[in-house]
């Protein structure tokens, strides 16, 4: 049986979980949420790189991992190179689906909704240059949506007026496809679709899951005769670097995590 780790600043990476369970049904999941430092989108990149490298290295040492998914667009654009140089376990990053959006757009007007760090980064611009140079691209950076998605999973109401204000540039630009360039944002797909049903909201979950299948197959960690099941196994653990509230804990357990624990670390905040 394979064991996969997902790392994110919070619960955003849980949006990838359904695709992982569908493509790799019989696997253990170790999830680490860095709630203590969340959100990542407004933090100094150099500071984040050091912190993420330390946390993921510690997680890798504690568990016999077959693959690590950096289930955070901000973290992926900052630290993949350093992680792959330092850690032997295969590292899979999250890339905003700019190429897919450009291909799907009918009117060649696409949007990218991500954290400010991702929006302002050179990596995203290189994706736009390579795959969407023919498109009118509207970029919106928001950390408020990260907080909003965390609140939703904590069973708190969504402020539709605030959400509408954030996505209004896409509506004004007549975007027909918008990339959700933060793994937190798919948690709000129902609300986004309600406010802008004419927009196709896309993310990278399926692509990440398929990439993970390829990595595990190449390393012989994927057993060919896995039994199909949608439930997580008893070894699956949800860690957070800070205590989580009762409602969020209930939501996490309802997904199938048998254990929720605080991730003890010596890292100085």
């Amino acid at each position: 049986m394979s064991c996969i780790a997902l790392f994110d600043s919070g619960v955003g990476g849980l949006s990838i979980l359904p695709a992982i369970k569908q493509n790799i049904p019989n696997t253990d999941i170790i999830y680490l949420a860095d709630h203590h430092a969340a959100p990542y989108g407004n933090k100094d990149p150099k500071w984040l790189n050091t912190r993420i490298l330390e946390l993921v290295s510690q997680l890798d040492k504690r568990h016999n991992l077959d693959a690590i998914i950096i289930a955070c667009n901000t973290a992926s654009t900052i630290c993949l190179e350093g992680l792959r140089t330092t850690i032997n376990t295969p590292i899979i990053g999250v890339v905003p689906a700019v190429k897919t959006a450009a291909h799907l757009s009918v009117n060649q007007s696409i949007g990218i909704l991500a954290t400010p760090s991702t929006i302002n980064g050179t990596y995203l611009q290189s994706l736009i240059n390579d795959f969407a140079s023919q498109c009118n691209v509207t970029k919106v950076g928001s950390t408020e949506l990260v907080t909003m998605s965390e609140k939703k999973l904590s069973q708190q109401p969504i402020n539709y007026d605030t959400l509408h204000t954030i996505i209004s540039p896409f509506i004004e630009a007549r975007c027909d496809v918008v990339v959700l360039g933060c793994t937190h944002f798919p948690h709000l797909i129902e609300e986004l679709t309600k406010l802008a049903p004419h927009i196709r909201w896309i993310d990278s979950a399926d692509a990440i899951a398929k990439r993970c299948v390829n990595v595990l197959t190449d390393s012989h960690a994927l057993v060919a005769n896995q039994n199909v099941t949608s439930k997580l196994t008893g070894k699956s653990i949800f860690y957070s670097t800070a205590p989580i509230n009762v409602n969020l804990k209930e939501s996490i357990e309802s997904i199938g995590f048998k254990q929720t624990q605080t991730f003890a670390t010596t890292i100085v905040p």
Side-chain angles (χ1 to χ4, degrees):
M1 181 182 294
S2 56
C3 184
I4 303 168
L6 284 81
F7 174 83
D8 185 32
S9 61
V11 295
L14 293 177
S15 67
I16 299 172
L17 197 56
I20 295 294
K21 291 195 288 184
Q22 182 177 358
N23 287 270
I24 317 169
N26 192 21
T27 188
D28 288 329
I29 301 291
I30 307 297
Y31 191 103
L32 175 54
D34 189 15
H35 278 121
H36 194 283
Y40 276 178
N42 57 3
K43 299 293 192 303
D44 176 68
K46 184 177 292 186
W47 181 86
L48 275 179
N49 189 66
T50 300
R51 181 177 179 85
I52 293 167
L53 184 59
E54 286 284 345
L55 283 173
V56 176
S57 296
Q58 289 181 26
L59 186 67
D60 187 53
K61 291 175 182 177
R62 296 186 194 186
H63 298 277
N64 185 25
L65 302 174
D66 296 302
I68 301 171
I69 300 173
I70 305 303
C72 172
N73 291 79
T74 300
S76 293
T77 59
I78 291 172
C79 66
L80 283 183
E81 184 177 352
L83 288 169
R84 287 169 175 161
T85 301
T86 306
I87 298 173
N88 291 327
T89 302
I91 306 290
I92 300 166
V94 180
V95 177
V98 174
K99 183 178 181 180
T100 302
H103 176 72
L104 293 174
S105 179
V106 175
N107 64 4
Q108 298 299 284
S109 181
I110 68 172
I112 302 170
L113 181 59
T115 64
S117 179
T118 299
I119 288 295
N120 297 322
T122 56
Y123 185 74
L124 177 61
Q125 189 57 51
S126 69
L127 290 176
I128 294 171
N129 294 340
D130 290 343
F131 302 116
S133 59
Q134 77 281 14
C135 294
N136 174 41
V137 180
T138 302
K139 298 187 290 184
V140 174
S142 172
T143 55
E144 192 166 8
L145 283 189
V146 175
T147 303
M148 196 177 290
S149 65
E150 293 273 344
K151 287 183 176 179
K152 181 180 179 180
L153 286 182
S154 295
Q155 303 171 41
Q156 298 180 42
I158 297 298
N159 188 318
Y160 276 88
D161 290 338
T162 299
L163 186 57
H164 185 270
T165 299
I166 292 171
I167 67 170
S168 60
F170 302 130
I171 299 172
E172 294 169 3
R174 299 182 181 275
C175 297
D176 59 349
V177 182
V178 173
V179 177
L180 299 177
C182 172
T183 54
H184 275 82
F185 298 169
H187 291 304
L188 299 169
I189 191 69
E190 180 182 348
E191 291 79 9
L192 291 168
T193 301
K194 184 176 181 178
L195 289 173
H198 62 287
I199 294 176
R200 184 169 181 176
W201 306 90
I202 63 171
D203 61 67
S204 305
D206 287 335
I208 296 164
K210 291 174 182 177
R211 174 59 183 155
C212 194
V213 169
N214 292 336
V215 166
L216 295 177
T217 301
D218 291 344
S219 63
H220 306 290
L222 189 62
V223 180
N225 62 346
Q226 293 189 63
N227 295 321
V228 177
T229 174
S230 62
K231 295 181 179 180
L232 299 177
T233 68
K235 293 183 180 178
S236 297
I237 304 170
F238 182 97
Y239 289 114
S240 176
T241 56
I244 59 176
N245 63 59
V246 174
N247 288 338
L248 180 56
K249 186 175 185 291
E250 288 179 356
S251 295
I252 291 166
E253 290 177 347
S254 71
I255 296 171
F257 283 94
K258 304 299 182 182
Q259 301 179 57
T260 55
Q261 302 177 20
T262 300
F263 190 77
T265 176
T266 57
I267 297 177
V268 177

